[in-house]
Amino acid sequence: MTTTVYVPRDSAARSLGADEVAAKLMETADRPIRIVRNGSHGMLWLEPLVEVVTERGRVGYGPVEPDAVAGLVAAGMLDGADHELCQGVVADLPWMRDQTRLCFTRVGVTDPLSPDDYLAHGGLTGLRRALSSDPADVVAEVTESGLRGRGGAGFPAGVKWKTVAGISGPLKFVCCNADEGDSGTFADRMLMEGDPFTLIEGMTIAAYAVGATEGYVYIRSEYPDAVRTMREAIGVAREQGWLGDDVLGSGLTFNLFVRVGAGAYICGEETAMLESLEGKRGMVRAKPPIPAITGLFGRPTVVNNVLTLASVPAILSGGAAAYQALGVERSRGTQVFQLAGNIARGGIFETAFGMTLQDLIQKYGGGTRSGRPIRAVQVGGPLGAYLPADGLDLPMEYEAFAAAGAMLGHGGVVVFDDTVDMAAMARFAMEFCAEESCGKCTPCRVGAVRGVEVIDKIRAGQDPDDNLALLGDLCELMTEGSLCAMGGLTPMPVRSALLHFADDFSPRGGGQR
Amino acid sequence: MINDIAVQFRHQGLDTAAAAIAEHIRTFWDPRMRAELIRRVDAEPETVDPLALAATLLLLTQP
Amino acid sequence: MSLLKEPDLGTPARPGPATVSLEVDGLPVTVPEGTSVMRAAALSGIDVPKLCATDSLEAFGSCRLCLVEIDGRRGTPASCTTPVAEGMRVSTQTPKLEKLRQGVMELYISDHPLDCLTCPANGDCELQDMSGIVGLRQVRYGYEGANHLDEKKDTSNPYFDFDASKCISCSRCVRACGEVQGTFALTIEGRGFESKVSAGGTDFMSSECVSCGACVQACPTSTLQEKSVIQLGMPTRSVITTCAYCGVGCSFKAELRGAELVRMVPYKDGGANEGHSCVKGRFAFGYATHPDRVLTPMVRERITDEWRPVDWDTAIAFTAAKLRDIQSRHGVGAIGGITSSRTTNEEVYVVQKMIRAAFGNNNVDTCARVCHSPTGYGLKQTFGTSAGTQDFRSVAKSDVIMVIGANPTDGHPVFASRMKRRLREGAKLIVVDPRRIDLVRSPHIEARHHLQLAPGTNVAVVNAMAHVVLTEGLVDRSFVDERCEDFDDWAAFIALPENSPEAVEEHTGVPAEEVRAAARLFATGGNGAIYYGLGVTEHSQGSTMVMGMANLAMATGNIGREGVGVNPLRGQNNVQGSCDMGSFPHELPGYRHVSDDVVRGVFENMWGSTLQAEPGLRIPNMFDAAIDGSFRALYVQGEDIAQSDPNIKHVHAALTALELVVVQDLFLNETAKFAHVFLPGTSFLEKDGTFTNAERRINRVRPVMAPKTGKHEWQIVAEIAQAMGYPMHYDRPSQIMDEIAALTPTFAGVSFDKLDKLGSVQWPCNDNAPEGTPIMHTDGFVRGKGRFVPTPYVPTRERSTRKYPLILTTGRILSQYNVGAQTRRTANVAWHPEDVLEIHPHDAEVRGISDGDEVVLTSRVGATTLRAVLADRMPVGVVYTTFHHPVTGANVVTTENSDWATNCPEYKVTAVQVGLKSPAMAG
């Protein structure tokens, strides 16, 4: 009897030695084993997390270092024996059990490139249902589900789709923004590496709904594994008839391609991404015209984030009502939160909107990794606000965050302990903007550089009152005057740092560390 | 030159072609060029395209 | 006038009938749908501050100065990128906007040299203007932060400098290079604060830049600045005039300080160019004041004598006496003249009038003889008038553009930019040319079909296309039935199997399937437009080919509306005008035959002279008659026949045989070597009159300075006529145009006053069309019905042989113009110091020729030496050269073969041999 063992192929796991672990397992196994390279369940503190299929279920061991494999095998790992690294049945772990996995339902569970696995775990149900409905009804379903763009802006996906669907024309596109550049975010990558077919299915549904025939997945070059996996998955899907000129025999034509970025953060901004896809320099376009009307190569184009598109199959298979039933207020469905930074248990946590940040960080994240008190949390990437430790009792939903001067963004949560110098973090925000600005608009191109200089002057105690006023004016100019969210949001971390951690900006405060 | 013109009209019947060539010459040629053509048709007709010969006759009869 | 600053409405006009009404700062304004808020504001008289916006470019939204507030909308949208909406209420000045704009300017100035007072753009700098307008009073960031003040200056271009330290990264230059010019030589390199304008990573001169000046024009600061302005300072007055280079006829503002021309700036209201320019018109005007200019009349008895400078009266008396003397000895018809396509309509008109009325004969011809005379013949036969059917703007409505025997990006660059813009928008391109011209594949443009035919087989190709249209049922029957005649005869001819693509493939070398596909595309792809050049006309069947294209256009219904037509790209600035003005020996002004008694009567009445009813000599006939002895004197105005005409040996023999050669020109050209009288001419900067461009547009040429010679050219001519005993006098050139208008129905409505009022008009301009006619043949054809003319293909006699196995074809390049008399006297030589022979690597290899070798080019009539450049733009067996330099003398090898109908020389096909220049020949 062959024992099935799962060793993740996710690049986080691989960076921790998953490949060696798999090799060692083949070497040392005392019986025939079949190793499946699955995606990661998202419990990154346990990676490489090896799972053994037993009668009880999939028993997990982690983190498994390559050198520990022989000992584990000897200790009866392949029978699911107890061990200090044994985490028990993975599906029963509170971390897993407490999640509501829609996007990530198959990530970690299946072989990402196995079409049979995909089908066996509910794959294509959504697409099949879509193809049997009128495209307009698909758009309506997505609209009713309340799904909003997961890239950060939170724009209702159905509205965008409806715009594209409403323009007649021979050539329309569906583009997936997988240029996941925000610090502390990795959900897009893990989905593409762990369950690429879901993204393909979501894009195909979008294509059907809006009348597009061609799609692009724009993946940042820093994600070579995701690029490889997506490309392979597209090849498999084409062979399976899930893509191509007659998708699932429905007559739908949809061809999908992967394009790789060149290292610019700004290409995560949708119009810069379109420019890059067209082979041009990644530079932000002024809107209007909006991409839904004048998008890729001037054609109507759906641009959605990976998580948005990956939510679609679940919406179509489970129905808009079920999806809409999750979440709170105007934030419906689930969001894939990513815990990172100074945190004890980092990883993916998909849950309905509405859980408080405090719960997420403390209950699931386990507080700081350093064990020191939390001082600040940045949510939504490098342009998100810093929330002070006493401000974490905030329900995670778009409007509540906006009201607190913060943003949910792409769901990245980065935790800092009490050693952090918040003036340095404010400076970093400007520096990041200066580094990553496309250079098109003046407030961002010149303003970010001046922002760094002004913060330096403040920290050095040089005319602090005047320079703080100047910094305030600059933040206002960047917020109100920038062409895109890059320059427009850079003041958010700066202002939040000024608001919550003003002391750090005096020379004395800066010397706190 | 006259033969270069004649060959352009070869696809037409003799009468039509001759008339067209004659008209072309009337429209575009200086009198001394026409005189030279007539001299040449007289002196060395074998060097002139038959269509051009016919056209030249027309020029003589209907100047 | 003082220096003219044209209004800049910020973003381009949006044409269309639908309008939107809104309020800007409380002022109501109604504009076309799609107009930007910025433009709407400007139209209502409110200039919103801006730096990255200019109305020649699409909105970009980068500077963030033009932010406005709109009732009911969040934030502060940029007015340049926000389209108007019905009922919108816009505020352009609020305390919030003021603060934001000052903030933006504060950032700009924190990284900009503070040398305004010594900056070349002082007084003409939008950054300076905006600082003032937004009320910038301090730069709180200081000036010691990160900056670009030490950026290096690129002075490589001979006409302008690029000073990166002054760059504000607005991308206007980059966008102009792409959107306006279509070259895409410029880009932004780096990102963020390090974003820099870059000529593709190299200096401007080594880059793909074609020096059109669009970037200089677009630059709001002194970053891209004319060297002439840096040296001379800002001009103080403007004169609007017309470029004297090619047939596009661009309008320019000549900008001067006192009498000194500082720069030529393309004029946005110019109908032909709408604010664009090329390297020649924009920069290469230095020849006009070049020391080589001859400013004093000169005479001599024999061409071996030294020139003797004389005063005008002497020169005129000398000329008149000689002419009359020759006529008394050899007859009235022993003298004649050639008008120039470089001079004004008025100057041409008086020359042909002098010949017809004072000389008393019709021995007048023009240099159009050697370029577009077949156009005159072919379009008159088929459509009824000798002119292109469209205005340049029309190309913006074309869906399929067929370019035949033309190289617009070099020859007609400003029109080419319009065409490229349309091609980038998705119009499809068919190129018919033996050479792979740049258009075949250039940035964002690729021809659907390149029919790379053997030189001399145009007619076979166009017939084959028509054959496909006819036999595949693609004829526009309703157009043909309603608008045309003689279709059935033509159809019977064109349907002959000998005209099928398969049958002609052997001659043309173009795969039949390619011809079929191109024909189908042209017939079915929407608006089909044909643009052609001298690659059509300068053949033994040039006239036939013009008719063949006209047939194809009629058969596919592509005549008489925007986006279609048959359009010659004229070589010289006033070749259209010189033809219009009666320069052909058989036609009076307005293309009316001299034998028409009624027409002649009108002229005789007005001119007070008896006119000949028989056609006169054409240029080649003049040469033949000179050698025969019946033609003894020639008056040549502004054409260098001793360099530009084919079979130079024959031309030289003819010129030598003449008793009197009178040359009227700017320079002692090659023809002047054979001259007895040299009458110094005026440059376009001194002329007062009109030029007519390839779209029949009559543009004013206004004097920027007084004639350096002391006399206008029309005065010289009138005085010679007077001295010959024929009374001719005008006080001013407008009187000449008035006379033209009185005599010529198509010009009846033209006057200097009207041109000054409207800017320009396109003939016909008369009571039926008081403001001119952009598109011809819209209702009926000029001749009533469009006439189909059968066009049998007759191969040229000029064929490759064992002795001359290669075919030479000729053309020109962007930076040089014609025989180079002007451009060689400017810094344009930096781009093209010599003519070279382009030869296919295969042909070179079998002859042992390497790139850069000196080779001898031999035809059956002559030989010349030039440098070989290996290039695969021509097919094997075809070589190519330009004729810009007299030292090369490309026309030493061209032959006497010519178009059967018009004698236009067959420049484009010469059988030649090419060999390495042997050491024995090196002396």
Side-chain angles (χ1 to χ4, degrees):
Chain A
M1 175 91 177
T2 303
T3 302
T4 300
V5 183
Y6 287 84
V7 182
R9 53 181 287 154
D10 181 274
S11 45
R14 289 183 62 216
S15 68
L16 291 162
D19 290 350
E20 292 88 335
V21 169
K24 283 275 199 266
L25 268 167
M26 286 309 283
E27 272 171 36
T28 54
D30 52 3
R31 69 193 77 172
I33 59 167
R34 180 174 78 97
I35 295 183
V36 176
R37 300 302 299 269
N38 59 337
S40 166
H41 286 284
M43 296 174 285
L44 297 180
W45 72 96
L46 293 179
E47 293 293 354
L49 175 66
V50 177
E51 292 172 87
V52 178
V53 177
T54 70
E55 284 173 2
R56 287 187 290 145
R58 284 160 65 163
V59 176
Y61 297 83
V64 177
E65 289 179 16
D67 292 346
V69 170
L72 277 161
V73 170
M77 175 179 79
L78 294 176
D79 295 315
D82 204 12
H83 187 273
E84 58 175 334
L85 293 180
C86 181
Q87 305 294 332
V89 175
V90 169
D92 294 339
L93 296 175
W95 175 279
M96 296 301 296
R97 211 185 44 222
D98 290 357
Q99 294 191 46
T100 306
R101 286 199 159 192
L102 297 177
C103 277
F104 269 63
T105 179
R106 282 173 290 267
V107 178
V109 177
T110 57
D111 173 350
L113 291 172
S114 160
D116 294 339
D117 249 13
Y118 188 65
L119 292 174
H121 289 84
L124 295 190
T125 320
L127 177 58
R128 286 187 209 281
R129 187 167 157 243
L131 291 176
S132 65
S133 331
D134 192 75
D137 293 339
V138 177
V139 173
E141 188 98 34
V142 171
T143 309
E144 285 158 20
S145 76
L147 176 66
R148 292 166 69 174
R150 299 290 188 249
F155 190 83
V159 175
K160 195 183 274 188
W161 288 21
K162 192 166 185 194
T163 308
V164 177
I167 303 168
S168 55
L171 186 57
K172 299 183 205 174
F173 297 101
V174 174
C175 292
C176 173
N177 186 343
D179 191 71
E180 187 177 42
D182 282 354
S183 44
T185 61
F186 39 84
D188 294 352
R189 177 186 62 71
M190 290 185 72
L191 182 104
M192 289 187 290
E193 293 181 8
D195 187 18
F197 294 134
T198 292
L199 178 56
I200 292 171
E201 185 181 346
M203 290 183 76
T204 310
I205 293 169
Y208 175 74
V210 304
T213 52
E214 222 172 285
Y216 291 88
V217 185
Y218 184 90
I219 308 177
R220 67 196 303 238
S221 59
E222 293 86 343
Y223 283 178
D225 283 14
V227 169
R228 197 161 43 241
T229 308
M230 272 318 298
R231 285 195 167 138
E232 282 178 39
I234 287 169
V236 172
R238 198 173 288 131
E239 280 166 25
Q240 296 289 321
W242 302 351
L243 285 174
D245 294 338
D246 185 15
V247 173
L248 294 177
S250 68
L252 170 69
T253 293
F254 185 58
N255 289 299
L256 188 57
F257 307 92
V258 169
R259 290 286 181 270
V260 181
Y265 174 77
I266 195 62
C267 290
E269 196 283 333
E270 61 175 349
T271 62
M273 182 192 84
L274 292 174
E275 291 281 298
S276 180
L277 275 173
E278 289 180 9
K280 298 176 190 157
R281 165 191 164 77
M283 194 130 100
V284 174
R285 294 178 186 169
K287 289 187 277 192
I290 55 171
I293 295 169
T294 306
L296 187 62
F297 298 109
R299 305 287 180 171
T301 303
V302 168
V303 182
N304 279 140
N305 174 255
V306 173
L307 299 180
T308 318
L309 290 162
S311 299
V312 169
I315 292 169
L316 265 291
S317 62
Y323 193 82
Q324 215 274 341
L326 298 167
V328 295
E329 305 294 329
R330 287 170 51 214
S331 305
R332 314 306 303 190
T334 60
Q335 170 65 306
V336 182
F337 294 102
Q338 300 128 79
L339 288 170
N342 192 343
I343 189 140
R345 294 196 290 271
I348 288 292
F349 198 93
E350 182 175 357
T351 183
F353 287 99
M355 178 185 284
T356 67
L357 186 56
Q358 182 79 33
D359 275 359
L360 184 64
I361 294 171
Q362 296 295 0
K363 192 168 163 194
Y364 298 100
T368 63
R369 189 178 181 79
S370 62
R372 298 183 65 93
I374 291 173
R375 182 152 192 250
V377 176
Q378 189 178 33
V379 182
L383 310 181
Y386 289 101
L387 296 164
D390 59 7
L392 302 183
D393 197 22
L394 196 60
M396 290 193 295
E397 52 113 341
Y398 293 108
E399 275 67 38
F401 264 62
M407 64 171 189
L408 267 190
H410 187 49
V413 176
V414 179
V415 177
F416 299 83
D417 71 12
D418 61 354
T419 61
V420 67
D421 173 356
M422 292 308 293
M425 297 316 293
R427 183 188 194 278
F428 172 75
M430 286 291 188
E431 198 184 356
F432 181 81
C433 182
E435 181 65 33
E436 296 292 350
S437 164
C438 78
K440 184 167 176 176
C441 77
T442 318
C444 179
R445 183 183 70 248
V446 186
V449 171
R450 297 290 172 251
V452 172
E453 292 168 1
V454 172
I455 293 173
D456 282 347
K457 286 179 191 171
I458 294 166
R459 295 176 79 203
Q462 197 179 321
D463 303 326
D465 291 346
D466 288 350
N467 277 313
L468 278 166
L470 178 56
L471 183 59
D473 286 352
L474 176 62
C475 283
E476 185 188 339
L477 173 62
M478 290 177 73
T479 305
E480 302 281 333
S482 293
L483 177 60
C484 81
M486 172 94 212
L489 293 178
T490 291
M492 194 179 264
V494 178
R495 283 170 150 168
S496 63
L498 280 165
L499 178 68
H500 301 299
F501 309 96
D503 286 351
D504 287 17
F505 288 81
S506 66
R508 224 167 351 110
Q512 184 188 52
R513 296 182 62 193
Chain B
M1 186 158 69
I2 184 65
N3 292 343
D4 291 341
I5 295 171
V7 72
Q8 306 294 333
F9 292 90
R10 192 161 284 161
H11 63 286
Q12 303 178 356
L14 177 74
D15 290 347
T16 326
I21 297 166
E23 184 53 31
H24 181 86
I25 289 170
R26 274 189 215 104
T27 308
F28 296 107
W29 284 30
D30 177 87
R32 77 192 84 174
M33 293 164 67
R34 268 180 279 161
E36 166 60 17
L37 173 64
I38 290 163
R39 188 205 59 76
R40 182 171 157 198
V41 165
D42 197 40
E44 36 191 338
E46 71 285 355
T47 67
V48 181
D49 186 288
L51 287 178
L53 278 177
T56 312
L57 285 177
L58 281 179
L59 286 176
L60 285 168
T61 52
Q62 308 157 22
Chain C
M1 69 176 91
S2 55
L3 196 69
L4 175 68
K5 289 205 174 181
E6 295 165 85
D8 185 344
L9 305 180
T11 64
R14 288 283 178 261
T19 58
V20 169
S21 296
L22 65 156
E23 262 183 34
V24 182
D25 293 339
L27 294 176
V29 60
T30 300
V31 294
E33 202 174 358
T35 302
S36 71
V37 168
M38 172 182 280
R39 190 178 174 94
L43 288 169
S44 67
I46 294 164
D47 287 329
V48 183
K50 63 180 187 295
L51 276 170
C52 72
T54 184
D55 57 15
S56 61
L57 301 173
E58 289 300 324
F60 193 58
S62 78
C63 75
R64 315 312 284 175
L65 265 186
C66 72
L67 306 177
V68 293
E69 292 189 78
I70 299 172
D71 283 9
R73 296 204 188 181
R74 277 196 316 163
T76 51
S79 62
C80 63
T81 56
T82 305
V84 293
E86 189 60 43
M88 194 182 241
R89 292 156 64 92
V90 180
S91 302
T92 72
Q93 292 292 343
T94 66
K96 180 177 185 177
L97 294 172
E98 254 165 57
K99 189 176 177 198
L100 290 175
R101 288 179 189 147
Q102 284 175 3
V104 169
M105 286 311 299
E106 196 174 4
L107 289 175
Y108 272 126
I109 304 304
S110 73
D111 182 21
H112 197 83
L114 298 175
D115 61 350
C116 286
L117 291 180
T118 52
C119 175
N122 189 11
D124 185 29
C125 171
E126 294 179 36
L127 188 71
Q128 195 179 41
D129 296 346
M130 289 308 133
S131 283
I133 283 169
V134 308
L136 183 69
R137 295 293 173 265
Q138 56 175 342
V139 176
R140 292 169 291 168
Y141 301 107
Y143 303 101
E144 65 282 0
N147 62 63
H148 299 89
L149 303 183
D150 296 327
E151 290 289 328
K152 255 186 74 189
K153 213 187 233 191
D154 175 355
T155 59
S156 62
N157 185 288
Y159 295 117
F160 59 84
D161 286 354
F162 172 66
D163 183 351
S165 73
K166 293 182 168 160
C167 180
I168 59 168
S169 297
C170 65
S171 289
R172 273 163 65 164
C173 53
V174 177
R175 291 182 284 144
C177 191
E179 288 177 36
V180 177
Q181 165 58 24
T183 291
F184 298 88
L186 301 182
T187 186
I188 299 280
E189 210 177 66
R191 67 181 188 223
F193 196 63
E194 297 311 314
S195 301
K196 277 185 240 179
V197 171
S198 163
T202 177
D203 66 34
F204 270 74
M205 204 52 190
S206 320
S207 75
E208 287 168 13
C209 167
V210 294
S211 206
C212 69
C215 57
V216 181
Q217 191 60 13
C219 181
T221 69
S222 184
T223 307
L224 283 155
Q225 185 81 61
E226 297 92 344
K227 281 186 158 77
S228 61
V229 171
I230 297 171
Q231 281 154 14
L232 301 169
M234 270 297 150
T236 55
R237 66 186 179 98
S238 314
V239 178
I240 294 159
T241 191
T242 304
C243 177
Y245 277 110
C246 76
V248 175
C250 296
S251 297
F252 278 89
K253 294 183 290 180
E255 296 192 345
L256 301 104
R257 291 168 64 87
E260 186 162 32
L261 181 60
V262 177
R263 64 179 173 186
M264 296 286 284
V265 179
Y267 186 46
K268 287 205 287 197
D269 277 349
N273 56 318
E274 297 180 296
H276 191 33
S277 60
C278 80
V279 61
K280 294 188 285 283
R282 179 75 154 91
F283 296 117
F285 51 82
Y287 73 89
T289 50
H290 195 276
D292 285 355
R293 276 273 303 269
V294 179
L295 302 176
T296 317
M298 301 188 296
V299 299
R300 58 186 175 186
E301 290 298 326
R302 284 174 299 276
I303 63 170
T304 48
D305 293 350
E306 288 291 306
W307 282 111
R308 187 158 56 87
V310 294
D311 62 21
W312 277 111
D313 289 347
T314 309
I316 285 161
F318 181 92
T319 307
K322 286 261 182 192
L323 288 167
R324 279 292 185 236
D325 174 53
I326 291 169
Q327 283 187 307
S328 69
R329 287 186 285 117
H330 298 282
V332 167
I335 66 174
I338 299 175
T339 69
S340 174
S341 299
R342 318 304 317 281
T343 58
T344 63
N345 286 316
E346 294 71 19
E347 288 165 332
V348 171
Y349 175 85
V350 295
V351 172
Q352 64 86 33
K353 180 178 174 183
M354 169 179 78
I355 291 166
R356 298 193 200 278
F359 290 10
N361 63 44
N362 285 322
N363 292 333
V364 57
D365 206 355
T366 177
C367 46
R369 176 64 55 206
V370 302
C371 63
H372 268 294
S373 52
T375 293
Y377 179 90
L379 295 185
K380 179 140 192 181
Q381 292 287 320
T382 47
F383 298 162
T385 195
S386 169
T389 59
Q390 311 300 113
D391 61 354
F392 288 147
R393 249 174 231 142
S394 156
V395 78
K397 298 280 172 65
S398 298
D399 301 310
V400 182
I401 297 171
M402 182 148 70
V403 176
I404 310 180
N407 183 10
T409 52
D410 283 84
H412 305 85
V414 172
F415 174 69
S417 291
R418 280 186 192 263
M419 187 187 272
K420 289 197 287 185
R421 183 186 285 240
R422 181 61 187 158
L423 291 168
R424 288 196 305 275
E425 287 171 356
K428 296 171 184 72
L429 174 67
I430 301 168
V431 171
V432 184
D433 204 295
R435 280 175 88 215
R436 195 180 65 240
I437 57 171
D438 286 349
L439 261 188
V440 172
R441 192 176 158 81
S442 63
H444 304 290
I445 288 171
E446 184 158 28
R448 286 295 168 108
H449 304 285
H450 177 202
L451 311 184
Q452 196 166 18
L453 75 182
T457 63
N458 284 334
V459 173
V461 169
V462 80
N463 283 350
M465 288 185 74
H467 179 91
V468 174
V469 169
L470 184 81
T471 57
E472 296 191 4
L474 306 176
V475 169
D476 182 342
R477 285 308 311 208
S478 65
F479 181 89
V480 167
D481 291 346
E482 198 179 313
R483 304 276 312 268
C484 306
E485 63 188 21
D486 294 355
F487 175 77
D488 292 343
D489 282 354
W490 175 79
F493 158 77
I494 212 77
L496 295 174
E498 70 197 48
N499 289 321
S500 73
E502 290 72 19
V504 301
E505 180 171 339
E506 188 191 342
H507 298 283
T508 63
V510 186
E513 212 27 65
E514 193 77 22
V515 174
R516 285 194 178 273
R520 287 172 197 140
L521 174 62
F522 187 76
T524 62
N527 283 344
I530 296 173
Y531 291 89
Y532 70 95
L534 303 186
V536 157
T537 55
E538 290 177 349
H539 285 282
S540 65
Q541 280 201 301
S543 293
T544 314
M545 179 60 184
V546 173
M547 295 188 292
M549 296 184 305
N551 291 337
L552 183 64
M554 289 189 290
T556 52
N558 280 312
I559 290 289
R561 60 180 189 277
E562 279 189 301
V564 300
V566 178
N567 303 285
L569 295 172
R570 304 273 182 171
Q572 308 251 34
N573 55 318
N574 198 33
V575 64
Q576 180 71 52
S578 71
C579 297
D580 301 341
M581 290 299 105
S583 291
F584 287 129
H586 65 286
E587 278 170 347
L588 289 159
Y591 303 102
R592 287 160 301 157
H593 201 269
V594 291
S595 65
D596 185 325
D597 293 339
V598 177
V599 171
R600 212 172 55 255
V602 172
F603 278 86
E604 287 179 336
N605 199 29
M606 174 79 96
W607 288 355
S609 170
T610 307
L611 302 180
Q612 298 279 343
E614 298 271 13
L617 291 169
R618 304 188 279 207
I619 292 173
N621 312 138
M622 292 179 189
F623 296 150
D624 293 343
I627 289 169
D628 289 350
S630 70
F631 190 72
R632 316 289 293 193
L634 181 62
Y635 186 103
V636 191
Q637 179 193 34
E639 188 193 355
D640 197 1
I641 49 177
Q643 189 187 345
S644 64
D645 282 31
N647 193 2
I648 289 288
K649 265 195 234 166
H650 181 71
V651 175
H652 288 191
L655 289 171
T656 311
L658 290 166
E659 276 184 51
L660 176 71
V661 175
V662 182
V663 167
Q664 188 170 346
D665 208 294
L666 297 180
F667 303 106
L668 276 174
N669 58 17
E670 295 298 303
T671 311
K673 290 178 180 159
F674 302 90
H676 307 81
V677 178
F678 186 89
L679 304 172
T682 52
S683 79
F684 77 111
L685 297 174
E686 297 142 61
K687 291 187 189 301
D688 186 0
T690 57
F691 290 153
T692 307
N693 75 354
E695 47 168 3
R696 296 168 279 103
R697 187 183 298 280
I698 306 165
N699 278 311
R700 278 283 275 129
V701 185
R702 295 186 181 84
V704 167
M705 53 185 77
K708 288 182 173 295
T709 58
K711 230 180 239 311
H712 284 291
E713 295 201 33
W714 53 267
Q715 288 175 314
I716 304 168
V717 174
E719 287 175 24
I720 292 172
Q722 289 269 22
M724 291 179 77
Y726 173 75
M728 199 198 295
H729 176 80
Y730 302 98
D731 293 322
R732 61 190 79 87
S734 62
Q735 292 174 338
I736 306 176
M737 180 52 85
D738 293 343
E739 183 175 315
I740 295 166
L743 287 168
T744 315
T746 45
F747 277 67
V750 182
S751 68
F752 280 22
D753 280 350
K754 183 178 280 184
L755 293 173
D756 289 341
K757 204 170 88 205
L758 299 180
S760 62
V761 295
Q762 289 170 271
W763 69 255
C765 174
N766 46 34
D767 287 347
N768 293 332
E771 300 205 343
T773 311
I775 312 277
M776 294 196 79
H777 318 299
T778 47
D779 298 323
F781 282 89
V782 168
R783 67 182 300 282
K785 293 219 164 186
R787 177 176 159 229
F788 280 93
V789 179
T791 52
Y793 167 59
V794 178
T796 170
R797 270 187 311 210
E798 189 75 11
R799 294 176 202 189
S800 53
T801 60
R802 260 176 51 190
K803 195 165 174 201
Y804 301 110
L806 301 172
I807 295 294
L808 168 73
T809 189
T810 58
R812 57 196 179 94
I813 60 148
L814 174 66
S815 59
Q816 295 291 336
Y817 184 73
N818 212 283
V819 297
Q822 293 125 305
T823 44
R824 278 184 289 109
R825 290 181 172 95
T826 68
N828 278 27
V829 290
W831 285 279
H832 187 76
E834 59 177 359
D835 291 322
V836 296
L837 185 78
E838 289 186 28
I839 182 167
H840 193 278
H842 174 81
D843 292 325
E845 192 183 338
V846 298
R847 289 168 176 76
I849 295 167
S850 308
D851 201 62
D853 280 349
E854 283 221 299
V855 294
V856 179
L857 174 71
T858 319
S859 77
R860 62 187 163 78
V861 303
T864 186
T865 304
L866 64 180
R867 201 170 297 283
V869 169
L870 270 49
D872 63 359
R873 288 151 65 100
M874 296 81 51
V876 172
V878 180
V879 293
Y880 171 85
T881 189
T882 50
F883 53 95
H884 301 307
H885 292 266
V887 58
T888 321
N891 286 322
V892 170
V893 299
T894 52
T895 70
E896 73 291 350
N897 291 346
S898 66
D899 173 45
W900 65 271
T902 67
N903 277 148
C904 180
E906 192 182 33
Y907 287 113
K908 299 296 183 187
V909 187
T910 309
V912 293
Q913 177 58 293
V914 177
L916 271 176
K917 185 176 174 182
S918 69
M921 292 173 69

